[in-house]
Amino acid sequence: MLASHFYEGKIEAGCDEAGRGCLAGSVYAAAVILPDGYQNELLNDSKQLSEKKRYQLREIIERDAVAWAVGIVTPEEIDQINILNASILAMHRALDQLKVRPEAIIVDGNRFKPYQKLPHTTIVKGDGKYLAIAAASILAKTYRDDYMNQLAEEYPQYDWLSNKGYPTKKHREAIKQFGITPYHRKSYNLLGDGQLSFDFEE
């Protein structure tokens, strides 16, 4: 069972992102505030769950949460500010949308920027330790998957239904064959060959 909170006696939002290592698509982040003393034995790091289980838990999280929101940063923004800054910005955008103002923030990973002077703590592998971060990881992952599935209808040749934009062999071979889409991150090493000299077409 994951821990219910990190900060004693504070309204705490858990944050996590999805899509950081992808070659294409926006990065998504979620912020979730769970009820005080909340328990759910099924909640875990989204990477440890099946796709079916993640979507089942999304419904439960959205029903049970005191507040939840999803923030998005586009591929164009990622190219301008880099993926670390984009991931943090996506979390800030999610926090901006919360209907209840948190008093503290816990974040998966080891990097974050202060948000509205609220206390925050970064927790490595936090999505496997704290319920609110696990909940945020599930929302970020499922909403990003929905988005990539829509893009896959527009660009089926890149196998985004399966790889969700991650750098699989099939995805990179499609880039070599078909070039890039407006959704690819041009600042990334898209071909995996150690070079960024790919001939991009606007």
Side-chain angles (χ1 to χ4, degrees), residues 54-180:
R54 282 195 293 268
Y55 279 95
Q56 288 172 342
L57 282 166
R58 180 167 92 176
E59 291 186 21
I60 293 169
I61 293 161
E62 292 177 357
R63 181 194 71 204
D64 292 352
V66 172
W68 65 272
V70 174
I72 302 166
V73 175
T74 66
E76 294 81 9
E77 290 175 300
I78 292 168
D79 287 336
Q80 288 169 4
I81 64 175
N82 81 43
I83 188 60
L84 174 62
N85 288 323
S87 299
I88 294 169
L89 178 59
M91 292 185 209
H92 283 201
R93 286 177 175 171
L95 290 163
D96 285 343
Q97 297 174 70
L98 288 174
K99 299 284 195 290
V100 174
R101 179 173 165 78
E103 298 169 338
I105 303 163
I106 53 174
V107 181
D108 183 56
N110 61 1
R111 303 290 290 278
F112 192 65
K113 292 179 181 176
Y115 177 80
Q116 294 187 1
K117 299 182 180 176
L118 295 178
H120 72 265
T121 298
T122 56
I123 302 162
V124 175
K125 297 195 164 92
D127 47 6
K129 297 173 182 173
Y130 289 90
L131 287 169
I133 299 179
S137 79
I138 290 165
L139 295 190
K141 169 70 175 157
T142 53
Y143 277 100
R144 189 178 188 282
D145 283 357
D146 290 347
Y147 156 77
M148 290 306 298
N149 290 344
Q150 287 179 326
L151 297 190
E153 293 178 16
E154 194 177 346
Y155 293 98
Q157 61 268 45
Y158 297 91
D159 196 34
W160 289 340
L161 269 180
S162 298
N163 63 50
K164 305 300 187 246
Y166 281 93
T168 60
K169 185 179 178 188
K170 190 169 181 181
H171 187 179
R172 283 197 154 125
E173 284 175 351
I175 293 171
K176 284 179 187 172
Q177 184 176 352
F178 301 106
I180 62 166

Side-chain angles (χ1 to χ4, degrees), residues 5 16 23-24 28 31-32 37-38 45 48 52 58 96 103 129 131 141 152 156 158 168 176 185 189 195 200:
H5 65 275
D16 200 4
L23 303 180
Y28 275 55
V32 178
Y38 184 74
D45 168 11
Q48 306 298 322
K52 182 181 179 185
R58 180 167 92 176
D96 285 343
E103 298 169 338
K129 297 173 182 173
L131 287 169
K141 169 70 175 157
Y158 297 91
T168 60
K176 284 179 187 172
R185 302 173 184 178
N189 178 11
Q195 298 177 18
F200 296 122

